[in-house]
Amino acid sequence: MHPAFSVIFLTTLIGVGQGLFLALYTGQLYALANLLPAQSSNFYAVGSMVSLALLFAGLIASFFHLGHPERAWRAATQWRTSWLSREVLALPAAMGLIFLYGTVHFFDLTKPLFVISGTLPVDFSLIMGGLGTFAVFGLFLCTAMIYASLRFIKAWYSPLTVANFLFLGVASGFMLAAAFSAYQGTSLVGFYGTWAVIATLFGLLTRVATLYRNGQFRCKVDLKSAVGVHHSQLEQKAQGFMGGSFNTREFFHGRSQGLLNLIRYAFLLMVFVVPVILILLAYVLESETLPLLAFGIQYLGLILERYHFFTEAQHPQNLYYQSMA
Amino acid sequence: MTQLALVIDLNVCVGCHACVTSCKEWNTSGWAGPMTDQRPYDADPTGVFFNRVQTYEAGVFPNTETYHFPKSCLHCEDPPCVPVCPTGASYKREDNGVVLVDYDKCIGCKYCSWACPYGVREFDEQQKVMKKCTLCIDRITDMTLPESERKPACVLACPTRARIYGDIHDPDSEVSVAIREQGGYALQPEWGTKPSNHYLPRRKTRIQIHEDELVRVDNPLKKEELPTLPDVGETLDDVAW
Amino acid sequence: MRLDKAFSWEYPLSVHGLMHNAITNAWRGDPYKIDTLLLFMANMAWNSSMNTENVRKMLTDKDETGEYKIPFLIVADAFQSETVAFADLVLPDTTYLERHDAMSMLDRPISEFDGPVDSVRIPVVPPRGDCKPFQEVLIELGSRLGLPAFVKEDGSRKFRDYPDFVVNYETSPGSGIGFLAGWRGKGGEKFLKGDPNPRQWEMYKENGCVYHYELPKSYQYMRNWNRGYLEWARAHSMTRYAEPITIHLYSEVLQRFRLAAQGKWPGRIPPERLRKRVEDNFDPLPFYSAPLEHKLVDTHTYPLNALTQRPMAMYHSWDSQNAWLRQIHTHNYLFVNPRTAEANGFGDGDWIWVESPINKVRCMARFSEAVEPGTVWTWNAIGKAAGSWGLSPKANESQKGFLLNHVISEELPPCEAGDHMSNSDPVTGQAAWFDVRVKIYPAEAGEPEVTSPQFKPQKRVPGQDPKRGKWQAFVAGAFRKKAKIQE
């Protein structure tokens, strides 16, 4: 597939935003359980706004993918059948809940409403955060399923796609949370950094598994089945046009194998290796800037990772567009 | 239920592209138009077509066969492109099974084309919506046309009658008979999309003749009496070549 | 003697003429010099000529006095073709919806199995600008030159215009045979043969522009020996004889030429240099002989046959440049058998040279198992000269498309029959398009990836607007006053 930068930015930006929100809420839960020192409302409020801004940026990026963004509202109608439609509902839902979560914190509306079992005080932020968590996981699922539900594109048609989107989003979000904490001078750098490393390692596992899987399989259909001529030596001579068409522009990446190998090694280093080393260094050196650097490098790596994700996908329609004369 | 479709006979398609151009001529000026072109008179001209004719070669010389292979939307019975559409712009007509795009609802996300394994949807770079073969829906449902013309433009244009059109759910229709009796097959059946359009495979007719059949028993050299006719002056033979 | 030497002893039965030699003969002044060349319905500076690169030079070549060898060139064309660029005078032709035409009984009518059919074309839009159908030009010329078919006995003009000509022309005075078979006779009551009918065009128009005479069922089949049909055809002057039409395996006509060459015929005899050629080729019985060119070139150096054919999608539209069709065929490849390519050291899609004894072209190769290994072929007339046909000079047609005609010679190498014999069939003068021998080899690594030969891009002509920048749309209309454009 031809990598679409609007979609690359959409999926990576909202991934970070969702991960950041999860990090904030996880932090709050830990604080609630007194496993971590409580943070100021401002920490959560600003963090939520950063998360929201990332989701919003992703939304804006997605509009560049559309031929008619002014009709985008229509995309909410087919949620019964279309994962894309479900994403269109999940994204604003998550944004709304994150906004409410941030607002609640901003206005300090954290007076407990009721107490469960005498130990768990439940306030608005906890409810909003809980709902937001649901929405964020739903959004991860929807976004990933857009790709993972396309049974013709075998490179994507796998639960691994969902796992990758989830782990890489969470990893980059926690990485940003670590950087944010370091920037704010809070004591959560180690906590977020640890979880970021754990998510990154999970992501490494599923992403490498995906690469391994995609290096192994053969497409279910071949040219014989595509044309219906069962001859062992069947070759296309003419595809019906010579100046290119939507079929040749949308479904071929047109990049050399050498470049793709380079991109693969680059993203494996930038997403998985370098950020983990930097976070460890930051922990050792108690650096405030290294977590930010770790996040920056990981995010750039994710852009390459998503680019590679598109180039990995071999669309069966490409069987029909191999030669011209 | 009716399921309209095309059956394409690979025995007789000669690859003349008449279906390609007649399709564009009809549809660019009709319900499904326009079908825009980019750089029409410059380098690498490109544009929207609903139907393309491709050419394949099977075998090694001298045992080679050239296949001309027209490909347009197959109007699947279970079209994977329809449920993925987030706006409902892609739909399959209940009454005749034709898969269509409502350009006014299409947001141009191209997701339907990703979900089609056959590569038959084409995005219009100028109008920014997805387009595809409509089976000439504005011809086949136009009751003001005589029945003989209520057919897709490509079918009417085909000089070798390689394209047959009809209802594949009617067991007695020309298309159903052709599929049944001539081994009509669907493309990429592995996916279970159940394409409605079918292709008729190449048939081989091998000569079976005995030596004794080659000798004629009647005499073709017998000369007949010819009448003498009155002179009529100059004839076409005298003046034309 | 005609300029193309048709009907001479060199090509005695060349009813279709030898168009491919007209320019070369005129340039050489053999059989004579000419002062004016009028070209229509052919693209003689490109795909209608052999040896195109040199023919283009001939069109602008000068003699020792500095005069053009072909002093005055008139081209009638509806498009900005390669030939138009060479014209001293361009006569803008109409396209087919702007003029009268006849698919006439006198030349390849559109007959059906159940009876003779002919048809006409009636304009649906008036010609634009100064465009004029080329038929009108020819009638005007014929009338002014006083050619017998176009003038009355007193020398005055016979036909007003082309529609008048189609209605009133008779093969000989009073023959009753003209261009159209339908609605002949004074009131349109006759068919096939009859007096000119002044309302014939109207009657064709009323009948969908087609005349179809449906034969009785018993006349419709096996018509070459259907006695009823043959007698009917004879009675209506469709045929000269009512005898069964058979293929003459032994041709008496050819035998007469052979006898003449052998000196056994009382009439005219061919000149000495051509006697053996006529004797060899006018065999009354079918025979095989290798193409003349193969006997005269080194077939070891040039081991391959090279062919062209028109692409089906563009069969009847190569005299136009259609935006849709050029997406289907926007450039052409040389189709080569993979084993032939391997032997010559290049791969699928590589740039290669195709060289014949007279010229060479650079193009791209495409492997095909459907090609005989001793043959290569390509689509004809996809390649265009840069800037022609209203295309951008960067269009694929001129940069990647190529014309095989450059390597096909219009003349044979010097031989016993003469130094400048046409590369044509010695009996019919049919141009020997398919006789060319070539060798193929890969292009050097550093060579530009464009076809060769390239020509200086044709200039834009009035009416072909220069490209405007997108920014100009923002100031559209702002300079009307300055440009003196009326509101």
Side-chain angles (χ1 to χ4, degrees), chain C residues 294-315:
Chain C
H294 294 191
K295 301 173 194 164
L296 298 169
V297 301
D298 180 356
T299 52
H300 289 290
T301 311
Y302 302 100
L304 301 169
N305 295 298
L307 313 178
T308 59
Q309 64 166 322
R310 288 192 224 178
M312 280 177 282
M314 298 177 126
Y315 201 89

Side-chain angles (χ1 to χ4, degrees), chain C residues 160-175:
Chain C
R160 191 177 61 249
D161 52 15
Y162 181 63
D164 187 44
F165 176 63
V166 168
V167 168
N168 289 313
Y169 170 78
E170 288 179 285
T171 53
S172 54
S175 73

